[in-house]
Amino acid sequence: MSIDAFNDNVRDAFIALTSQLNGHAAGPFQTKRRSGFDSFVAQGIPTTRHEEWKYSNVLPFIGLQFSERTSEHDLITREDVSQVLDGLTKDSGVTVQVLTDELVARDEVVRNALGQTAPVDVHPFVALNTSLANNGLVIRVARGAQIQRPIHIAVVSDARSADVLATPRILVLADEGSIIDVVESHHAVGDKISLDVGVTEISVAENAHVRYHKIIDDTVVLRHIGYTAARVYRNGRFTSHSVSIGGAFVRNDLVVKLADIASETYLYGVSVLNEKDHVDNHTVVDHAVPHCHSEELYKGIYDGASSGVFNGKIFVRPQAQKTTAYQSNHSILLSDKAQINAKPQLEIWADDVKCSHGATSGQLNDEAIFYLRSRGIDADRARALLTYAFIAEVLEHIDHEGLRLYCEGRVAKKLDAEPFAL
Amino acid sequence: MTPILQITELTAGIEDREILKGISLTVNPGEVHAIMGPNGSGKSTLASVLAGRADYAVSGGSVLFNGKDLLELSPEERAREGMFLEFQYPVEIPGVSTANFLKTSVNELRKHRGQEPLAPAAFLAMMRERMKLVEMDQSFLSRSLNEGFSGGEKKRNEIFQMAMLEPTLAVLDETDSGLDIDALRIVASGVNALRTKENATIVITHYQRLLDHIVPDVVHVLWNGRIVRSGGKELALELEKRGYDWIKQESVEEV
């Protein structure tokens, strides 16, 4: 019943969007939207009977009546956005554009990239996002450009006056030999429900390096379902840091395809949760060609009645000889009510490869707590210090110092461990 | 003169098993006491009870530390009151730098004494100076606490911590286990350098060799949960020569 209502909701939004297109109704963007909508209808909303959604139940908020436009006064106006984008575009080497029907029709690169790494049939929410995608962002980094300052995309859902469905779509196209830090953060304002279904597609050209940071900060209203797909070409490198510090419902899908030889990817993730937070990290590393390298390290701290999921797939295709792929996932449960479901999945069809995975879950080490206490540090601070240190080991891989300090500070605040984040 | 430590008829054990069966011991300022004994005599239990390990239960007797009831204090309160337990197996703590850990620890002790936290520069200078005592390289400060340290480095790090925390009573639990002779010499000279007229040291050891380097004022022999003999440093030498069997024999005859 509630799924039907939600589907009707999406259909209405799709029709409403179609009616506003003014001459682009037969354009390439709308064609992609239409195939997205058809695919969404065909796939349907997943229930917990679906293997990929076993521990993350979307039904509780699918029944809500979402509206597309909520407040009389926009939180951020089109003029605000234009001003920011004008400022950015002056920074040499980066171009930031709004993802419009007009741009998709005019620009072949954008047209080809949109939906290439995140095809609509792989995931029901990719289909949903595609069917309603409008006014997203395209970030292009010029050949050889080494961008020192991170580009920060803040997605803010305005749930001040009604439940809201947001479908942000982001394209990052890093040309040959370029280097860029991208930060994607998701937020909600207001006390209604916001469902934020995002898709980010990233293309890392030859010798380029994209450092991607996805930050879901402490918020109890946000329901976020995000799908990030990266494709890495020859000698390219894609580094991802997924920092989840709360959220009523967070699902991060991260899919990296190593598409040409000597490409590599490094995936790091932390979840720091308490109360009823829920964060589900699904990752896929696809070794499609020989001589590629991947490393993955995800850690989580679970307190209160929080729950986490880690599902890490590694595919090594038959032709992907000389692959090296390592994955590890470690969790600490601080309360009896907290839970983590971890599932490494390695599918290896090549025979000359080095792959490993390890997953642990447990409590804090009592002997370590006692050691700290016997040096005058009280039990609560000892626990805070140890949990912080457990997470900091992952965050130290963030190359950009400012970003690293920011993330460390946020984690320390959540863990009451501020004095240690120095 | 108030003793630093006064143990009276202490009985303690783990689960239902009584291991310490009435220990009495007085340690005065300026003294070094050695507690020796064969395996299973109760040495580790005594160290654990003094440190405040939760799995050991005290069933009788009393322990006064600088005049306060030690058994009422949590492990962190004992440290703040001036007790330092040197760990037989120091714990590796990834992600916490030695410097950060020590700053937290030292400032907790200072807060307890009503002192302001040390300024970063003064703290760094203090660390650099006291590391020299145990010939530790400064690179250890930014490394994770004990992580990947060799056995000798861990023990030197323990004595470095002791130098930073300036305890009134240091309890060294089997310091010599796993140490080669050079590391033993460095650790022992660190301990000796920290001795003053106001503090005291208890050295718990199975072997006499550590006592060549840290010379005790009093040697106690623990057997079957009791101190069966106390004497000067020559008692340790006699134990080294004759082993523990004659002590066991004599104490059985006394009973």
Side-chain angles (χ1 to χ4, degrees):
Chain A
M1 215 19 225
S2 57
I3 290 182
D4 290 345
F6 183 80
N7 289 345
D8 288 346
N9 222 201
V10 173
R11 182 184 303 273
D12 292 345
F14 177 70
I15 292 168
L17 180 57
T18 304
S19 70
Q20 296 163 12
L21 289 177
N22 298 337
H24 287 288
F29 198 169
Q30 180 60 9
T31 306
K32 288 174 195 278
R33 285 194 197 101
R34 192 170 294 282
S35 75
F37 181 71
D38 291 344
S39 182
F40 172 69
V41 172
Q43 292 178 73
I45 292 289
T47 67
T48 51
R49 288 193 298 276
H50 192 302
E51 182 62 26
E52 298 295 313
W53 295 86
K54 194 172 173 183
Y55 302 107
S56 292
N57 186 7
V58 299
L59 293 185
F61 50 84
I62 288 300
L64 298 162
Q65 184 70 31
F66 292 108
S67 60
E68 205 198 356
R69 176 61 62 91
T70 56
S71 310
E72 283 177 34
H73 303 288
D74 280 346
L75 201 61
I76 301 165
T77 65
R78 186 171 278 271
E79 287 68 39
D80 293 334
V81 175
S82 302
Q83 269 187 16
V84 172
L85 295 191
D86 284 348
L88 273 174
T89 307
K90 286 181 188 121
D91 200 341
S92 66
V94 192
T95 315
V96 183
Q97 295 163 291
V98 176
L99 181 63
T100 59
D101 289 74
E102 194 274 328
L103 179 68
V104 176
R106 161 168 62 87
D107 192 317
E108 192 185 354
V109 174
V110 173
R111 188 161 64 245
N112 291 340
L114 184 62
Q116 190 200 26
T117 57
V120 292
D121 55 355
V122 295
H123 194 292
F125 290 99
V126 172
L128 170 58
N129 172 281
T130 306
S131 63
L132 298 177
N134 193 24
N135 295 333
L137 283 181
V138 182
I139 296 168
R140 297 165 82 163
V141 191
R143 185 173 177 162
Q146 307 206 340
I147 309 304
Q148 305 295 327
R149 297 171 66 184
I151 299 284
H152 182 179
I153 306 153
V155 178
V156 185
S157 296
D158 180 356
R160 288 176 298 176
S161 57
D163 298 338
V164 62
L165 171 65
T167 52
R169 183 72 171 229
I170 298 161
L171 278 182
V172 178
L173 307 172
D175 213 337
E176 283 175 30
S178 62
I179 298 177
I180 189 163
D181 287 287
V182 175
V183 184
E184 178 186 325
S185 63
H186 292 260
H187 315 265
V189 293
D191 50 12
K192 306 291 184 191
I193 302 297
S194 69
L195 174 60
D196 169 19
V197 178
V199 173
T200 301
E201 294 181 273
I202 299 169
S203 171
V204 184
E206 271 187 52
N207 293 308
H209 185 189
V210 173
R211 297 184 291 223
Y212 171 74
H213 312 75
K214 181 169 178 182
I215 300 172
I216 309 286
D217 217 330
D218 200 0
T219 162
V220 290
V221 292
L222 185 67
R223 274 80 175 153
H224 172 72
I225 300 174
Y227 188 97
T228 298
R231 188 170 291 209
V232 192
Y233 295 94
R234 187 176 293 240
N235 285 321
R237 196 189 325 165
F238 175 70
T239 307
S240 168
H241 295 275
S242 187
V243 180
S244 301
I245 317 170
F249 181 99
V250 176
R251 164 72 178 239
N252 293 314
D253 277 81
L254 176 60
V255 178
V256 183
K257 183 166 188 171
L258 297 171
D260 204 345
I261 59 169
S263 57
E264 48 187 39
T265 189
Y266 298 84
L267 309 182
Y268 301 99
V270 299
S271 298
V272 182
L273 310 183
N274 61 21
E275 295 174 5
K276 289 182 177 171
D277 296 339
H278 176 79
V279 174
D280 177 343
N281 282 305
H282 266 62
T283 67
V284 177
V285 177
D286 188 353
H287 284 263
V289 295
H291 293 287
C292 294
H293 176 71
S294 66
E295 279 179 42
E296 186 168 9
L297 173 62
Y298 271 68
K299 283 189 174 185
I301 297 274
Y302 303 93
D303 202 351
S306 66
S307 54
V309 179
F310 174 78
N311 189 302
K313 285 184 184 152
I314 297 176
F315 295 123
V316 182
R317 307 283 175 191
Q319 66 277 16
Q321 300 293 0
K322 305 289 180 189
T323 288
T324 46
Y326 307 106
Q327 178 192 90
S328 55
N329 163 242
H330 304 291
S331 304
I332 287 180
L333 296 164
L334 295 177
S335 109
D336 291 343
K337 288 183 185 147
Q339 59 169 306
I340 169 73
N341 289 286
K343 185 176 169 191
Q345 277 179 276
L346 277 63
E347 295 187 21
I348 301 168
W349 291 294
D351 53 12
D352 185 13
V353 301
K354 280 184 189 156
C355 298
S356 70
H357 73 87
T360 60
S361 69
Q363 281 85 43
L364 286 176
N365 179 349
D366 284 340
E367 184 65 10
I369 293 172
F370 181 75
Y371 187 67
L372 295 174
R373 291 181 74 187
S374 74
R375 298 296 180 257
I377 300 167
D378 69 45
D380 285 346
R381 278 170 68 87
R383 283 189 201 99
L385 178 62
L386 291 171
T387 48
Y388 175 74
F390 179 77
I391 294 297
E393 260 204 310
V394 183
L395 299 177
E396 72 187 22
H397 294 280
I398 299 177
D399 286 338
H400 191 283
E401 191 185 6
L403 281 174
R404 187 177 64 249
L405 291 173
Y406 173 78
C407 291
E408 287 174 350
R410 294 296 306 157
V411 168
K413 185 162 190 290
K414 177 108 175 186
L415 292 172
D416 269 333
E418 278 107 327
F420 310 122
L422 295 169
Chain B
M1 180 175 62
T2 314
I4 287 181
L5 189 72
Q6 187 157 32
I7 304 177
T8 311
E9 287 300 316
L10 179 68
T11 57
I14 189 163
E15 288 165 0
D16 293 336
R17 200 159 56 90
E18 191 169 71
I19 300 171
L20 300 183
K21 297 171 182 171
I23 301 248
S24 295
L25 175 68
T26 300
V27 179
N28 291 309
E31 292 178 350
V32 174
H33 288 237
I35 295 179
M36 302 184 71
N39 289 330
S41 58
K43 300 194 303 289
S44 318
T45 301
L46 180 59
S48 296
V49 168
L50 291 179
R53 282 189 187 273
D55 34 1
Y56 290 84
V58 173
S59 49
S62 67
V63 182
L64 292 180
F65 177 49
N66 291 322
K68 287 186 181 165
D69 182 355
L70 181 79
L71 302 175
E72 287 295 306
L73 302 177
S74 66
E76 56 269 32
E77 287 166 337
R78 296 176 194 205
R80 292 170 194 167
E81 289 287 335
M83 177 173 293
F84 182 88
L85 175 75
E86 192 250 24
F87 277 57
Q88 192 176 351
Y89 304 106
V91 186
E92 298 195 8
I93 304 187
V96 179
S97 72
T98 302
N100 221 337
F101 155 73
L102 268 176
K103 190 175 61 192
T104 309
S105 178
V106 166
N107 283 334
E108 284 292 344
L109 267 63
R110 291 180 67 86
K111 190 166 82 185
H112 183 73
R113 296 188 210 119
Q115 295 167 316
E116 291 292 309
L118 273 179
F123 184 73
L124 190 62
M126 182 178 168
M127 284 197 297
R128 283 183 176 153
E129 179 217 319
R130 303 205 176 170
M131 291 185 90
K132 288 181 194 155
L133 205 61
V134 284
E135 301 175 26
M136 264 171 84
D137 190 85
Q138 281 187 28
S139 64
F140 282 93
L141 291 178
S142 55
R143 282 173 60 182
S144 286
L145 185 59
N146 292 327
E147 192 188 27
F149 287 24
S150 70
E153 286 166 348
K154 283 179 183 168
K155 294 297 171 81
R156 279 149 68 184
N157 192 18
E158 292 288 287
I159 304 304
F160 169 48
Q161 291 173 33
M162 180 175 148
M164 291 296 292
L165 298 177
E166 301 172 341
T168 50
L169 177 66
V171 179
L172 311 183
D173 186 10
E174 305 280 4
T175 293
D176 47 337
S177 69
L179 284 191
D180 63 35
I181 192 70
D182 289 330
L184 185 70
R185 180 187 51 77
I186 293 168
V187 164
S189 72
V191 171
N192 288 331
L194 295 171
R195 289 179 64 175
T196 67
K197 286 193 178 66
E198 284 77 40
N199 65 23
T201 308
I202 296 176
V203 182
I204 295 173
T205 183
H206 184 91
Y207 300 105
Q208 189 270 338
R209 67 169 190 165
L210 178 63
L211 305 181
D212 285 342
H213 301 273
I214 304 171
V215 180
D217 299 299
V218 191
V219 174
H220 308 277
V221 180
L222 198 59
W223 189 64
N224 199 18
R226 289 190 178 86
I227 291 175
V228 292
R229 185 176 284 247
S230 298
K233 62 187 176 203
E234 60 289 345
L235 177 57
L237 292 169
E238 194 173 355
L239 287 168
E240 177 76 0
K241 210 182 298 169
R242 298 176 61 187
Y244 285 106
D245 283 349
W246 63 280
I247 296 259
K248 293 180 191 175
Q249 202 63 39
E250 283 184 13
S251 65
V252 169
E253 283 163 16
E254 281 166 26
V255 172

